[in-house]
Amino acid sequence: MRTGLEALVALDSQPSLEPAGMIFHLSRCESTLVSRLLGTLPGVVVVAEPGPLNALLGLDPGRVGEAELVRVVRLLVRALGRCRHGDERRLVLKCTSWNIRRRPIVAAAFPETPWIWVQRDPARVVASLLAKPPGWLGLQAAPERAARRLGLDPAAVPTMGREEFGARALGAMLEAAATDSAQRLCIDHADLPAAVWQRVAPHFGLDADAAAIERMVEESRFYAKDPAARVFAGDEPERRPMTDAMRQAAQRFAEPGYRALASRG
């Protein structure tokens, strides 16, 4: 089922929430945990990586004007944030990792919305990506799409090893995150989960009293994407086999951007 532009325009006249905050992330850095903990706050609605938004941001810029895309993205997010039950108070939008490359569109749609960038040691991310590849890693087989979505040289993409392709993609995401410092807060995986109630919630203007923090502490004991209850203990349980090729690719193509953003907090 598809929702046309006319339907989005009609929905825009109904009560809706604009994002109180947005979550962008490097991939495999527990951004899902961040969104899940925020979703335990009373009245907070979290919309996580919506497919329609990915479809819009993945459009060829040559096929749609920027102003029109900004307009449709705004309509879509407001439709996703429509008040349905009457107890919704604040909306948090969690974007897909590669969406950071199209952040100017989202920022233009909601210029007053603060955002966070969640990142992690790139070598750990590369190891996790190669152990369990996400969909975007398959773009190496489609160089033109990889160029459009990740900003990589389409002529060079087929010649890259998987480690280099993954690390270069992470480097492109980090570069995009670094270009927009307005209202940005950088959060490292190593500082989770406490950073959610200590830094993220205040940055988004979300109230977190002692009872709310206690709920988040309890919820943070488990991994966000594990179907079985498995205690979250930082990096240790998530260690993946790491080769020299992974380390070298991450160090060359992603580590500088990671360190630069880490120094900005």
Side-chain angles (χ1 to χ4, degrees):
M1 181 178 179
R2 297 189 177 186
T3 301
L5 181 58
E6 298 80 5
L8 291 178
V9 171
L11 285 173
D12 202 48
S13 64
Q14 300 182 22
S16 182
L17 301 173
E18 296 198 1
M22 298 183 190
I23 301 170
F24 290 84
H25 58 99
L26 186 60
S27 187
R28 306 297 167 84
C29 53
E30 289 297 336
S31 61
T32 298
L33 176 67
V34 175
S35 64
R36 194 182 73 191
L37 297 189
L38 294 177
T40 67
L41 296 173
V44 173
V45 177
V46 176
V47 175
E49 304 187 7
L53 180 61
N54 284 337
L56 286 175
L57 296 181
L59 291 174
D60 184 344
R63 294 180 54 193
V64 58
E66 182 172 315
E68 180 63 9
L69 184 56
V70 168
R71 173 176 175 255
V72 178
V73 165
R74 178 175 174 80
L75 288 170
L76 172 65
V77 174
R78 281 182 52 80
L80 293 171
R82 185 163 57 91
C83 297
R84 295 170 173 83
H85 306 291
D87 59 350
E88 304 94 340
R89 295 291 179 267
R90 311 300 294 275
L91 173 68
V92 172
L93 175 66
K94 178 181 181 292
C95 295
T96 304
S97 59
W98 62 265
N99 289 173
I100 187 63
R101 295 264 312 153
R102 300 289 273 156
R103 174 163 160 76
I105 297 297
V106 185
F110 298 98
E112 304 301 320
T113 301
W115 63 291
I116 66 168
W117 170 250
V118 189
Q119 62 178 21
R120 183 183 186 183
D121 176 356
R124 296 286 174 208
V125 178
V126 171
S128 179
L129 293 174
L130 296 186
K132 190 176 180 181
W136 62 259
L137 204 62
L139 290 176
Q140 188 170 13
E144 294 300 327
R145 289 183 62 204
R148 186 167 66 245
R149 186 164 294 184
L150 301 172
L152 305 181
D153 179 359
V157 165
T159 70
M160 298 177 188
R162 294 177 74 238
E163 297 88 353
E164 180 179 345
F165 180 79
R168 282 185 180 273
L170 297 181
M173 295 177 196
L174 289 158
E175 181 180 4
T179 61
D180 181 9
S181 62
Q183 304 185 83
R184 182 193 66 207
L185 174 67
C186 295
I187 299 293
D188 198 276
H189 176 274
D191 297 324
L192 296 175
V196 178
W197 52 86
Q198 293 176 348
R199 302 177 64 199
V200 178
H203 186 61
F204 288 170
L206 304 177
D207 295 328
D209 59 17
I213 293 174
E214 185 176 349
R215 285 194 300 272
M216 285 193 281
V217 170
E218 178 61 25
E219 184 72 13
S220 69
R221 294 180 58 238
F222 303 102
Y223 276 87
K225 293 184 178 179
D226 200 321
R230 186 161 62 93
V231 175
F232 176 77
D235 244 351
E236 290 299 326
E238 286 298 295
R239 291 191 183 277
R240 307 281 190 177
M242 191 179 301
T243 64
D244 288 342
M246 293 177 191
R247 291 190 185 90
Q248 292 166 7
Q251 183 176 23
R252 180 179 179 185
F253 301 113
E255 186 77 18
Y258 169 73
R259 295 298 175 193
L261 281 165
S263 69
R264 298 172 193 176

